[in-house]
Amino acid sequence: MDIKIDDLTGSVVAELLGEHLRSMALHSPPESIHALNLEGLKKPEITFWSVWERDELVGCGALKELDGQHGEIKSMRTSSSYLRKGVAKRLLEHIIEEAKRRGYRRLSLETGSMDAFEPAKRLYASMGFQFCRPFSDYIEDPHSVFMTKELISEQD
């Protein structure tokens, strides 16, 4: 698997992100969808990665800097033909390592509370994320779950 920073200009990346947004709309009410579109992911505080197996896009994810010590995972998505093949875990490990390299003390995320999001919640929990209260600009929402992980940087 090859994980690389992506400039979000490729059509296959746009298609995978479109699939991601359609899935969110299928499982969450509009006011509870916090997924970013292409333009939202191009903001300077966000680093976006695409994951490739040879020349096939197999997943994507992003890291948003909330402040100098806190990052947020955004837009984690695995291509439907690569589910349960380790793509999300490998990308999550990559994002955690990058967050540590940046000196973040905490890494957080928001995901859905419905059954469709159970695999994601299990993955995050297996990597040390714990349920928490809303962070940043999020508010309590019965359709959202918030998770966080305290990080130990290389300098510690």
Side-chain angles (χ1 to χ4, degrees):
M1 253 180 272
D2 185 25
I3 300 172
K4 55 187 175 184
I5 292 178
D6 197 292
D7 64 5
L8 295 154
T9 59
S11 62
V12 293
V13 170
E15 287 172 28
L16 184 60
L17 287 169
E19 178 184 315
H20 181 60
L21 290 170
R22 286 187 299 277
S23 177
M24 297 302 104
L26 184 64
H27 298 291
S28 301
E31 67 276 9
S32 297
I33 297 174
H34 303 288
L36 299 173
N37 62 19
L38 275 173
E39 288 311 307
L41 289 165
K42 290 180 180 178
K43 293 186 177 175
E45 66 271 18
I46 297 176
T47 304
F48 181 86
W49 290 273
S50 55
V51 186
W52 301 83
E53 189 68 49
R54 289 174 289 288
D55 60 351
E56 189 173 358
L57 178 65
V58 299
C60 65
L63 176 59
K64 177 180 180 180
E65 182 168 302
L66 299 175
D67 63 44
Q69 296 195 2
H70 190 189
E72 178 184 4
I73 296 171
K74 299 294 292 181
S75 300
M76 286 280 293
R77 183 70 180 192
T78 301
S79 169
S80 56
S81 58
Y82 277 82
L83 294 173
R84 293 173 289 288
K85 294 185 179 178
V87 174
K89 182 177 182 187
R90 178 66 194 97
L91 180 56
L92 184 56
E93 289 168 343
H94 180 84
I95 291 172
I96 291 169
E97 287 308 309
E98 176 61 18
K100 287 179 181 179
R101 190 192 67 71
R102 292 180 183 187
Y104 294 168
R105 310 294 274 162
R106 188 165 81 141
L107 188 56
S108 302
L109 63 97
E110 178 276 337
T111 192
S113 63
M114 293 68 79
D115 290 345
F117 298 95
E118 280 305 314
K121 290 183 280 190
R122 281 195 304 271
L123 171 64
Y124 295 129
S126 77
M127 298 293 288
F129 286 81
Q130 299 178 334
F131 294 100
C132 65
R133 300 200 42 79
F135 59 93
S136 188
D137 296 329
Y138 292 105
I139 59 171
E140 286 289 347
D141 179 344
H143 303 287
S144 289
V145 167
F146 304 95
M147 300 180 82
T148 196
K149 176 181 176 75
E150 297 294 324
L151 302 176
I152 299 171
S153 67
E154 275 73 42
Q155 294 85 21
D156 289 345

